[in-house]
Amino acid sequence: MKIKDHFLTQEEFEIIETNTKGVYKTSPIPSDISKYYESEDYISHHQDSGSLKEKLYKFLQSFNLQYKKTILLDRINKGSRVLDYGCGAGEFVKYIETNFITYGFEPDKDARNAAQNKISKAVILDNIQSIEDNSLDAVTLWHVFEHIENQDEMLEIFNKKLKEKGLLIIAVPNPTSYDAQHYKEFWAAYDVPRHIYHFSKKGMENLIANKPNWKLRKIKPLVLDSYYISMLSEKYKKSSLFWIKAAIYGTISNVKAVFSNEFSSLIYIIEKR
């Protein structure tokens, strides 16, 4: 499938299946991918622009933050050590820092500084090797794993940093969801080339099954993602009344997913063996 970078450059990329069935990769990966992040709109999630899109994002984000924190609180004790990998401007780190001993890793300097200015107790890092081995109770990646090219290497590092039976929590878009099938090449969550990998539900299950140091424990939905992704997809299509259409197709996607479990985004709760 050929997909345009609708967000920024309008360049065209191809999505091809990898050796792991159900896992796909963007091709080609630009040698200087950092320039594809260089847009004020891309960091609008971290700054209050006052736009209608930003207000919608913040509204949905408030529900998602609580939902994500509940996932942790249901599985690890308060005071546990949690690393949010790819923490951006630190919204989740800030939200959980009163419940856990919290670390955030962020490679982008501007986002890292924004995170540092928000938090009061958490520690923001630019290198996770400073974290002691076998010391973390959980590592979270909220829509980050799809951006990582050296995934095998990073999975080994996460495994090394986690305690025995520590949790790796990965949230990624699902290209076999109804909204992905409906919007096809306009589906905003392809987000090429920033999203290097694309994981169907079966693809992520296959990926983890091939890793002897990990065990997939649970899959949970991110129900609200279908609305935001549908809204962006409608905008890429230059649709009129895109808010209404996004609400309709986001709802259809969630209703269908109740029966198929193919939600727009999925959270994989994985345990270190």
Side-chain angles (χ1 to χ4, degrees), residues 25-240:
K25 188 173 184 180
T26 298
S27 179
I29 302 300
S31 57
D32 182 15
I33 199 168
S34 62
K35 70 179 184 180
Y36 292 87
Y37 292 87
E38 294 173 357
S39 167
E40 289 184 4
D41 287 338
Y42 193 79
I43 62 170
S44 66
H45 302 346
H46 312 312
Q47 300 177 356
D48 189 2
S49 67
S51 69
L52 196 57
K53 182 179 81 171
E54 178 72 11
K55 289 177 180 177
L56 174 65
Y57 181 84
K58 293 293 185 183
F59 175 75
L60 297 179
Q61 184 188 59
S62 65
F63 287 93
N64 272 344
L65 287 171
Q66 180 58 43
Y67 178 56
K68 293 170 183 177
K69 184 170 79 168
T70 300
I71 289 173
L72 284 174
L73 288 172
D74 285 346
R75 288 164 177 82
I76 59 175
N77 297 324
K78 286 187 177 182
S80 296
R81 295 181 179 272
V82 178
L83 167 66
D84 187 30
Y85 187 88
C87 67
E91 295 292 344
F92 184 64
V93 169
K94 177 185 175 182
Y95 199 79
I96 68 170
E97 67 176 350
T98 57
N99 300 100
F100 304 104
I101 299 170
T102 310
Y103 304 89
F105 167 80
E106 176 51 51
D108 181 78
K109 182 179 178 181
D110 290 339
R112 193 166 63 244
N113 288 339
Q116 192 67 59
N117 290 332
K118 282 179 187 170
I119 56 95
S120 58
K121 295 173 63 179
V123 178
I124 305 299
L125 306 169
D126 61 2
N127 184 350
I128 70 167
Q129 295 295 357
S130 60
I131 296 177
E132 185 180 350
D133 292 351
N134 301 302
S135 66
L136 296 174
D137 296 282
V139 177
T140 60
L141 295 92
W142 304 112
H143 287 302
V144 171
F145 196 61
E146 63 268 34
H147 294 263
I148 299 173
E149 188 166 13
N150 60 330
Q151 292 183 345
D152 287 341
E153 178 184 348
M154 291 311 305
L155 285 172
E156 290 181 7
I157 292 172
F158 296 146
N159 196 275
K160 191 176 180 182
K161 298 301 177 185
L162 282 166
K163 297 176 182 177
E164 186 178 355
K165 296 189 179 298
L167 298 180
L168 178 64
I169 300 175
I170 297 175
V172 288
N174 176 20
T176 48
S177 63
Y178 169 81
D179 49 293
Q181 302 303 306
H182 173 74
Y183 288 111
K184 298 179 181 176
E185 69 271 19
F186 289 99
W187 191 54
Y190 281 125
D191 199 24
V192 293
R194 290 160 294 276
H195 288 188
I196 295 172
Y197 286 99
H198 313 269
F199 302 90
S200 68
K201 179 171 170 285
K202 180 55 68 175
M204 183 62 84
E205 290 172 340
N206 290 336
L207 178 72
I208 300 305
N210 291 332
K211 305 294 182 186
N213 293 330
W214 298 106
K215 183 173 181 61
L216 180 60
R217 286 298 188 188
K218 186 83 172 177
I219 302 175
K220 294 181 72 68
L222 272 169
V223 175
L224 295 180
D225 277 25
S226 64
Y227 297 103
Y228 186 71
I229 292 170
S230 294
M231 184 267 292
L232 291 178
S233 302
E234 291 290 346
K235 290 189 77 173
Y236 291 160
K237 292 178 68 177
K238 298 182 170 27
S239 300
S240 58

